[in-house]
Amino acid sequence: MPTPPSVSAVRHNRTVDAQPLDWQNLGFNYIKTDLRYLSHWRDGAWDDGTLTEDNQLHISEGSTALHYGQQCFEGLKAYRAQDGSISLFRPDQNAARMQRSCARLLMPAVPTDKFIEACRQVVLANERFVPPYGTGGALYLRPYVIGVGDNIGVRSASEFIFGVFCIPVGAYFKGGLTPTNFMVSSYDRAAPNGTGAAKVGGNYAASLLANHEAKARHFADCIYLDPATHTKIEEVGAANFFAITRDGRRFVTPKSPSILESITKYSLLDIARDRLGLDVEEGDVYIDQLDQYSEAGACGTAAVITPIGGIQHGDHYHVFYSETDVGPVTRALYDELIGIQFGDRPAPDGWLVKVK
C-alpha cells in the first residue's frame, strides 16, 4: 500500500532541529511519536483506518472500556537490522492472540492483514524513532481495541476503536543479563475459567497491589500460583515462566487455561527444541519441587528473558543457577532469540515481516 498522505505532511511540518534521542539511555517510558493509527468499528464493520498526529482519544463518558473493562491490547516490536532494514517480529501471532482476546470480551476481531498493515504504517510513519542497530533498542508497538459509544448498561458496546501507537524503547538490561529475585504472592492473578488467557487490562489492574507489595519487600515482582490449588507456578508478574531441568536437557514451562500465551515463550520453545536440541514440555511446575531445576527465567516482549536468581515462598528461599551469574542455557536462549530479532541469525519462516 502507498504511504498515507499524512506521513509526508508530518515529516514536512516536523521541527527541523528537534532534539535527537539518547539511544543509549532509553528506558520503557512513554514518548510521543509522530503518528498513530486509528480505525473505528460501526454498523458491523471496520473502516479503512487512518494515521493521526493526535495522541488523545476522544470517547464517550459511557464507553464500556471505562466502566466494564471491555478492552484488550497487544505488545510487539520492530527491529532495525545491521543493513538498515526494519522488521516486525511475529506480528501474525500478536494478531491471532488479539483475536482470541476480542472473542473472550465480545468485541469484533481485527483481521490479521489489517492488524499487520496498521503496524506497518505506524512503523514507517515513525521510522526516525526506530533505534539504530547496535544500541539494543527497538520500536515497541501497542495495538489495542476498546469498546466506546454512549452506553450505560452491562452489555457489549455498539462501537469500537482499534488503535496502534509506538514508542522507542531501550535494551531492558543495562549492563547485560542480570538474575532477578521474586516472591510468591498470596493474590491470584486471574480466576479459574476467567480472563487469564486473554490480554485484557483487568488482569493487569489486579496485579498492581501484588507488585507493590513485592517491591516493598525488595523483590522485582511476584510469582502467581494457579488459582485453583495454589500449588503450581503460572506466571511471573506480567511474564511467562520457564525452567531448565538439572540435567540441562529439558525446557519446561507451565500450561494452564488461565495463563496468557506468550509469543516470546513459544518462540523460545521452538528455539530450545530446534536449535539447542532440548526436550521441551508444557506442564505442571510445582512450587514445592523447584529443586528439580537448575535455571529459571521470566519471558515476554519487553525483556525477552529475565533470569530468575531466586524465589521466596513462605519461609523458604530457593536459588537456581546463581543470584549473580546467568545460566548457560538461559544465555544461549537469549542470544539466539535476540540474534533472530535483529537479523543476525537466520529466522524461521514467517518470524520476521519486513517493513522496510
Side-chain angles (χ1 to χ4, degrees):
M1 294 179 65
T3 302
S6 50
V7 175
S8 58
V10 169
R11 286 174 178 162
H12 176 74
N13 295 326
R14 193 174 60 219
T15 303
V16 176
D17 60 350
Q19 290 296 315
L21 290 169
D22 183 357
W23 300 115
Q24 301 298 333
N25 292 296
L26 288 173
F28 197 84
N29 302 299
Y30 181 83
I31 296 173
K32 184 178 184 292
T33 50
D34 291 334
L35 291 166
R36 66 274 313 131
Y37 175 95
L38 288 179
S39 179
H40 290 80
W41 190 90
R42 299 186 181 98
D43 301 322
W46 291 106
D47 65 18
D48 290 339
T50 187
L51 293 172
T52 176
E53 295 182 59
D54 189 359
N55 70 333
Q56 304 297 312
L57 288 177
H58 305 273
I59 62 175
S60 168
E61 61 188 355
S63 294
T64 57
L66 299 177
H67 302 280
Y68 307 123
Q70 194 179 28
Q71 58 87 252
C72 67
F73 66 98
E74 277 297 322
L76 67 158
K77 288 178 178 177
Y79 299 84
R80 193 186 296 275
Q82 190 169 9
D83 63 4
S85 64
I86 302 172
S87 297
L88 293 163
F89 181 72
R90 308 196 75 178
D92 59 323
Q93 298 302 303
N94 290 94
R97 189 170 66 179
M98 177 170 271
Q99 289 158 7
R100 295 192 294 270
S101 296
C102 285
R104 181 64 179 83
L105 268 63
L106 283 181
M107 300 193 295
V110 177
T112 300
D113 57 351
K114 182 180 182 69
F115 181 98
I116 295 176
E117 175 59 21
C119 292
R120 189 192 72 86
Q121 288 188 25
V122 168
V123 174
L124 285 176
N126 297 283
E127 182 182 346
R128 72 186 183 100
F129 290 98
V130 182
Y133 173 83
T135 62
L139 189 70
Y140 179 84
L141 284 82
R142 172 56 61 84
Y144 59 89
V145 176
I146 60 173
V148 297
D150 296 328
N151 305 281
I152 197 62
V154 182
R155 56 178 175 267
S156 183
S158 58
E159 299 179 13
F160 297 86
I161 291 176
F162 165 52
V164 183
F165 67 92
C166 67
I167 58 170
V169 296
Y172 193 88
F173 301 107
K174 303 301 181 184
L177 288 171
T178 303
T180 304
N181 301 327
F182 296 84
M183 62 168 279
V184 173
S185 176
S186 60
Y187 295 103
D188 291 331
R189 172 186 161 271
N193 302 314
T195 59
K199 196 168 177 67
V200 299
N203 296 342
Y204 295 82
S207 74
L208 295 177
L209 179 58
N211 171 269
H212 175 78
E213 292 184 357
K215 289 182 175 178
R217 293 182 57 183
H218 306 291
F219 292 95
D221 207 334
C222 53
I223 302 278
Y224 294 103
L225 304 180
D226 69 292
T229 70
H230 290 177
T231 61
K232 297 173 283 189
I233 289 179
E234 290 216 332
E235 293 205 6
V236 186
N240 278 192
F241 176 89
F242 73 87
I244 308 300
T245 53
R246 285 207 164 275
D247 58 10
R249 296 179 179 176
R250 193 154 49 99
F251 177 104
V252 180
T253 187
K255 187 173 181 61
S256 162
S258 54
I259 291 177
L260 177 69
E261 295 185 342
S262 166
I263 293 154
T264 303
K265 180 184 80 172
Y266 284 107
S267 300
L268 291 173
L269 275 166
D270 288 347
I271 290 170
R273 181 187 61 244
D274 300 336
R275 301 202 174 181
L276 301 187
L278 303 179
D279 295 327
V280 299
E281 176 187 336
E282 287 185 272
D284 294 335
V285 178
Y286 288 94
I287 190 62
D288 62 355
Q289 296 178 10
L290 297 182
D291 56 355
Q292 296 181 8
Y293 308 104
S294 59
E295 301 178 37
C299 56
T301 298
V304 184
I305 290 176
T306 301
I308 297 177
I311 294 177
Q312 183 78 45
H313 179 221
D315 296 329
H316 178 68
Y317 183 67
H318 178 83
V319 176
F320 291 97
Y321 182 81
S322 168
E323 290 186 277
T324 56
D325 298 321
V326 182
V329 179
T330 299
R331 183 171 292 280
L333 288 166
Y334 177 81
D335 289 345
E336 191 68 27
L337 183 53
I338 285 293
I340 291 170
Q341 291 171 332
F342 282 102
D344 296 325
R345 301 190 183 188
D349 288 344
W351 279 28
L352 295 181
V353 174
K354 280 286 180 70
V355 173
K356 178 190 177 184

